[in-house]
Amino acid sequence: MQASELDIVATIGTRGSPLALAQAHEVRRRLALAHGLDEARIAIRTIRTSGDVIQDRPLLEVGGKGLFTKEIEEALLAGTIDLAVHSSKDVPTFLPDVTWLSAFLPREDPRDVFISHKADSIAALPAGAVVGTASLRRQAMVLRLRPDLQVKVIRGNVETRLRKIAEGEADATLLALAGLKRLGLEDKATRILAVDEFLPAVGQGAITIESRRDDDRINAFVARITHADTEVALNAERSFLALLDGSCRTPIGGHCRVEGDRIHFRGLIISPDGRQSYETVREGHRNNAVALGADAARELRDRAGETFFTLFGGA
């Protein structure tokens, strides 16, 4: 039986892709369980974003990754939804002053996967093979490993990209393992790429909730399901990103591992052609996550020089 509008305690806003909906349903399930509610009392509203509509051009050309959150944030600010559910890696570095990331779910596996019907690894692809991905980071890291390969942009949700590879639009692609697992498609992975071999995007594998800062009821509501270690890791990673590039114009990788009171962070900036790259690591106490991420970013800015960001479209 459907709950009436009077019974709804919160409305979640989300994109309408199968992966986005799976993530929204996971948030709803956890909230309902934490508060002893029938799931029907937490509504889910799908919102089509600019990133979903624009499929014929790289996001870089039309405004960056914020296009996947823009319309959802507008609904949040208008009060037509109470909380937004995002893939953390899609969330812009800088949010409107009146919203914040109020909760994080336990992080799924952050690794990338290689998918191909023609080879079992990037190394095994024939010279000149085409790797299709819309991610500048993935394109650059592929070219760093194999400068003889070609990269091309392929867009669409997970299922669309898998279909394009099956139809031969490219010889291989790379996707997030977390998304495949949430969709029950983990078996589509040809090879899982180790973090040390292929550094993930900042926030990869984590689901986050965005809410209005002044909405005490909703902030308390979602606080019951936040995962402290994921929040610490994302604080370090997003701090790193904030001092490098707030959009998606420079290929950047960053991953923080939390082990008890200690964190282990690794960050990377790389030129789009894969020829220049700078990496660094940080270890320290979890309470210093933001400072450690920022310090890693400052080091890479100093080592690369401002011309790196000018040449390659950075901050």
Side-chain angles (χ1 to χ4, degrees), residues 22-87:
Q23 294 178 166
H25 281 277
E26 175 66 8
V27 169
R28 179 167 75 171
R29 184 188 69 79
R30 288 175 179 268
L31 284 170
L33 187 63
H35 293 279
L37 295 170
D38 186 321
E39 287 188 24
R41 297 190 64 196
I42 303 171
I44 294 177
R45 179 184 171 198
T46 59
I47 298 169
R48 198 171 191 208
T49 69
S50 300
D52 298 311
V53 174
I54 301 169
Q55 292 290 325
D56 60 341
R57 285 165 286 168
L59 291 180
L60 175 60
E61 295 180 5
V62 288
K65 64 183 180 181
L67 294 176
F68 284 124
T69 60
K70 177 176 177 287
E71 285 79 5
I72 300 174
E73 277 186 344
E74 288 172 353
L76 185 61
L77 294 173
T80 56
I81 61 172
D82 299 301
L83 58 140
V85 173
H86 306 298
S87 292

Side-chain angles (χ1 to χ4, degrees), residues 3-248:
S4 71
E5 286 190 16
L6 291 177
D7 293 325
I8 298 297
V9 297
T11 299
I12 294 170
T14 177
R15 295 170 60 201
S17 72
L19 178 56
L21 287 171
Q23 294 178 166
H25 281 277
E26 175 66 8
V27 169
R28 179 167 75 171
R29 184 188 69 79
R30 288 175 179 268
L31 284 170
L33 187 63
H35 293 279
L37 295 170
D38 186 321
E39 287 188 24
R41 297 190 64 196
I42 303 171
I44 294 177
R45 179 184 171 198
T46 59
I47 298 169
R48 198 171 191 208
T49 69
S50 300
D52 298 311
V53 174
I54 301 169
Q55 292 290 325
D56 60 341
R57 285 165 286 168
L59 291 180
L60 175 60
E61 295 180 5
V62 288
K65 64 183 180 181
L67 294 176
F68 284 124
T69 60
K70 177 176 177 287
E71 285 79 5
I72 300 174
E73 277 186 344
E74 288 172 353
L76 185 61
L77 294 173
T80 56
I81 61 172
D82 299 301
L83 58 140
V85 173
H86 306 298
S87 292
S88 292
K89 69 176 182 177
D90 290 338
V91 179
T93 312
F94 304 105
L95 299 173
D97 290 340
V98 295
T99 72
W100 69 310
L101 300 184
S102 49
F104 298 87
L105 268 60
R107 193 174 205 167
E108 182 50 272
D109 195 316
R111 292 177 292 176
D112 279 309
V113 300
F114 171 80
I115 298 172
S116 176
H117 301 290
K118 300 182 179 180
D120 63 4
S121 67
I122 295 173
L125 283 168
V130 176
V131 178
T133 173
S135 163
L136 286 180
R137 174 189 59 88
R138 289 173 178 147
Q139 290 176 13
M141 293 184 75
V142 165
L143 291 174
R144 181 170 71 162
L145 293 170
R146 289 284 308 274
D148 60 304
L149 298 178
Q150 301 178 60
V151 293
K152 67 176 285 189
V153 173
I154 60 170
R155 295 274 317 279
N157 62 35
V158 170
E159 295 86 349
T160 298
R161 282 178 278 174
L162 290 173
R163 175 180 54 77
K164 288 179 176 181
I165 296 304
E167 292 174 351
E169 190 168 320
D171 299 307
T173 192
L174 297 130
L175 293 172
L177 177 57
L180 293 180
K181 291 178 77 169
R182 289 179 180 128
L183 290 169
L185 297 172
E186 187 178 358
D187 62 337
K188 300 296 183 183
T190 305
R191 180 182 292 264
I192 298 173
L193 305 177
V195 168
D196 290 343
E197 171 190 8
F198 212 89
L199 196 62
V202 163
Q204 187 157 301
I207 297 170
T208 188
I209 294 171
E210 181 182 7
S211 59
R212 295 179 292 273
R213 287 184 182 274
D214 64 357
D215 193 334
D216 294 339
R217 182 182 71 86
I218 290 296
N219 290 330
F221 187 63
V222 301
R224 293 277 292 274
I225 65 167
T226 200
H227 186 251
D229 284 359
T230 301
E231 182 172 3
V232 168
L234 268 290
N235 283 342
E237 293 173 23
R238 287 178 61 81
S239 174
F240 174 74
L241 185 64
L243 266 71
L244 291 173
D245 182 8
S247 64
C248 58

Side-chain angles (χ1 to χ4, degrees), residues 236 239-245 265 267-269 278-280 282 288-306 309:
S239 174
F240 174 74
L241 185 64
L243 266 71
L244 291 173
D245 182 8
F265 174 81
L268 162 77
I269 56 175
Y278 301 87
E279 296 185 54
T280 190
R282 288 290 186 281
N288 298 324
V290 171
L292 287 169
D295 189 59
R298 281 190 289 268
E299 178 196 328
L300 294 191
R301 286 202 84 105
D302 289 344
R303 286 170 55 195
E306 290 308 310
F309 296 93

